[in-house]
Amino acid sequence: MKLLLIGSGGREHALAWKLAQSPLVDTLHCASGNAGIADVADIVPIAADDILSLLGLVQREAYDFVVVGPEQPLALGLVDALQDTGVKVFGPTEAAAQLESSKAFTKALCDKYKIPTASYGVFTDLGEAKAYLKTMTAPYVLKADGLAAGKGVVIPETLKDAEAELEEFFSGKFGDASKRVLIEEFMRGQEASFFAISDGKTALPLIAAQDHKRAFDGDKGPNTGGMGAYSPAPVFTDAVMADVMKNIILPTVHGMAKDEHPFVGVLFAGLMLTEDGPKLIEYNARFGDPECQVVLRRLQSDLLPLLIAAEAGDLDKVEQPSWFNEPVANVVLAAKGYPGKYNKGTEIKGVDAANEMDDVVIFHAGTKREGDKLLANGGRVLNVTASGETLEQAVKRAYAAVDAIDWDDKQFRMDIAHHALKV
Ligand code: AMP
Ligand code: GLY
């Protein structure tokens, strides 16, 4: 088969790495890729949100199958546009991707189909939002309705800070995304990212991972796209998974079908494991990044047949995937200053040697090659993944590989998997 993968992050390098191993794949193209993806796929220099150029590419190249990695093109309707050309594409339509692109949409779906989540209010008026805030207790959870690259959630500790933050939201802190604001009940518990593949009618569970959203050790500092991940998540037992499938994932898939926007793609549930059971924090309409990198390293069987069956609506006929038991950890190396201002173009050495270390696989995110030099080209730059007999060993191996990478401008967390290693 001739495949096109869309995206350029660490998630897409993991997808490209896994898809390139499929015996079904003859040719793999990636738009726009990165320096690591270039080792396993042919790079096409078209950005993931350049819908018109991607349409032209798909018409010229006659791909058998297209896989969309990131959220922006999904929210822009890339899947709908590609489907109109007749090509088979794995990913949700614009209407279905609202599960991620509109938090208010998802909350309304949860109400309608009784999916457990935090209580909330949605506001377009500052005065009404402030009045609602007074009925809540600290800490306060404020969310921009639209896409904000994982950064549109603020959790102030005091009413005064929450009011000031609301003013910033309504004056366009996240552009149009924060013109509509959600205020939510604060949920307590451990968080987990759970992934399922849906064909619009049913869902096949994959596995869970845990992410590290804050920039600095001890879960301090600003929220980022994710600074590291590991799988399995010890808190995510088989019983929790069964609960999540029954009470969250399947009601969502069935509800979306009933409401006439069936969801085809990866359903990524951000969950809070509370004393009252798992509750939905949010949905994403794609694999998580950096979670995808650990999930796909643990997937033993071929990924592509699952994606093909989901697109075809045949998920109930597919063979169950098999998984490696060994835990996998992922330490993200970001450029200093991320998620704020950072430099591009600094040189990174030693990546290939680190990649050769035992049970280590390095997935690139923001990287590019210039001659024989590898340069940083984004906020999150590398994902250093390692497996081990235990999570502790996986983490140790990942940090040994991090040490072997010579990059002055690197910033990373030293405490990946601390929640799991503590227990
Ligand atoms: P989100 O982008 O909705 O996943 O939110 C980002 C982070 O904010 C989550 O990973 C949680 O750590 C936190 N968060 C979001 N909503 C809540 C909530 N209702 N209660 C507690 N923490 C929350
Ligand atoms: N790591 C969280 C996300 O991909 O949104």
Side-chain angles (χ1 to χ4, degrees):
M1 289 176 77
K2 183 171 175 182
L3 250 68
L4 172 66
L5 169 67
I6 292 168
S8 59
R11 164 183 49 219
E12 286 76 25
H13 189 185
L15 282 164
W17 170 82
K18 189 68 189 168
L19 290 170
Q21 295 171 42
S22 171
L24 302 172
V25 174
D26 303 307
T27 307
L28 177 62
H29 288 182
C30 183
S32 62
N34 59 39
I37 296 175
D39 292 337
V40 287
D42 294 330
I43 300 298
V44 186
I46 298 176
D49 58 359
D50 184 351
I51 308 291
L52 279 181
S53 302
L54 288 172
L55 269 176
L57 174 72
V58 165
Q59 277 160 341
R60 273 196 313 278
E61 292 284 346
Y63 294 109
D64 298 302
F65 202 72
V66 181
V67 179
V68 185
E71 60 272 27
Q72 292 89 352
L74 298 172
L76 291 171
L78 176 64
V79 170
D80 313 60
L82 291 181
Q83 281 172 344
D84 288 344
T85 72
V87 72
K88 293 186 165 71
V89 45
F90 176 80
T93 59
E94 183 178 353
Q98 286 181 94
L99 276 182
E100 170 160 12
S101 64
S102 170
K103 291 182 191 290
F105 173 90
T106 299
K107 286 300 220 179
L109 186 96
C110 289
D111 285 347
K112 190 167 171 190
Y113 295 104
K114 311 226 169 339
I115 296 161
T117 186
S119 63
Y120 71 105
V122 185
F123 304 93
T124 49
D125 177 81
L126 178 63
E128 285 175 21
K130 280 189 174 173
Y132 185 80
L133 210 52
K134 292 209 173 78
T135 70
M136 308 290 279
T137 51
Y140 302 90
V141 181
L142 311 181
K143 299 188 177 184
D145 179 44
L147 289 182
K151 292 156 205 157
V153 177
V154 186
I155 308 189
E157 293 290 336
T158 67
L159 185 61
K160 201 165 149 249
D161 289 350
E163 286 180 338
E165 197 61 55
L166 268 183
E167 280 166 25
E168 283 192 40
F169 269 56
F170 281 110
S171 54
K173 180 173 185 177
F174 297 107
D176 281 349
S178 65
K179 295 216 166 114
R180 202 145 70 134
V181 175
L182 276 82
I183 302 178
E184 284 187 12
E185 162 207 3
F186 183 81
M187 299 186 286
R188 284 172 210 280
Q190 273 212 51
E191 283 186 62
S193 304
F194 176 64
F195 302 90
I197 291 185
S198 176
D199 64 356
K201 297 179 289 194
T202 189
L204 181 137
L206 299 178
I207 55 173
Q210 283 184 292
D211 184 14
H212 300 68
K213 285 192 199 269
R214 302 294 197 100
F216 309 130
D217 287 359
D219 298 323
K220 302 263 167 30
N223 263 329
T224 68
M227 292 302 290
Y230 58 97
S231 177
V235 288
F236 205 86
T237 59
D238 289 349
V240 171
M241 185 186 312
D243 184 332
V244 169
M245 285 303 291
K246 176 165 175 264
N247 295 313
I248 299 182
I249 300 288
L250 289 172
T252 300
V253 169
H254 296 151
M256 290 292 282
K258 236 187 223 163
D259 294 351
E260 288 175 17
H261 18 246
F263 184 93
V264 175
V266 173
L267 194 51
F268 162 1
L271 300 165
M272 189 71 82
L273 307 180
T274 75
E275 276 183 355
D276 305 326
K279 292 190 181 178
L280 183 71
I281 302 172
E282 62 159 4
Y283 270 127
N284 295 306
R286 36 104 194 152
F287 270 117
D289 184 345
E291 294 97 321
C292 179
Q293 293 84 313
V294 294
V295 169
L296 292 187
R297 278 213 55 192
R298 292 195 56 219
L299 179 60
Q300 187 169 18
S301 44
D302 193 354
L303 173 66
L304 188 54
L306 303 180
L307 309 188
I308 291 173
E311 190 280 333
D314 284 343
L315 215 45
D316 54 341
K317 300 191 190 84
V318 90
E319 206 175 305
Q320 292 299 308
S322 54
W323 300 94
F324 292 115
N325 286 327
E326 286 80 17
V328 177
N330 178 10
V331 179
V332 170
L333 303 188
K336 259 181 211 145
Y338 173 81
K341 267 177 79 163
Y342 55 83
N343 289 322
K344 287 187 180 178
T346 51
E347 188 178 356
I348 309 167
K349 291 182 188 156
V351 173
D352 292 339
N355 202 27
E356 296 296 312
M357 292 167 72
D358 277 353
D359 301 298
V360 169
V361 179
I362 296 180
F363 295 118
H364 292 225
T367 63
K368 68 172 183 184
R369 266 189 225 284
E370 227 170 66
D372 53 12
K373 283 187 182 164
L374 181 68
L375 304 180
N377 192 37
R380 290 189 293 172
V381 174
L382 292 168
N383 297 263
V384 182
T385 74
S387 59
E389 277 170 35
T390 60
L391 181 59
E392 205 162 11
Q393 190 181 44
V395 168
K396 230 179 178 169
R397 284 179 175 161
Y399 280 112
V402 168
D403 273 347
I405 294 173
D406 177 9
W407 177 31
D408 288 343
D409 203 40
K410 74 182 169 211
Q411 163 189 316
F412 60 97
R413 280 183 59 162
M414 289 296 297
D415 64 348
I416 296 308
H418 66 105
H419 279 303
L421 294 177
K422 223 172 32 201
V423 289

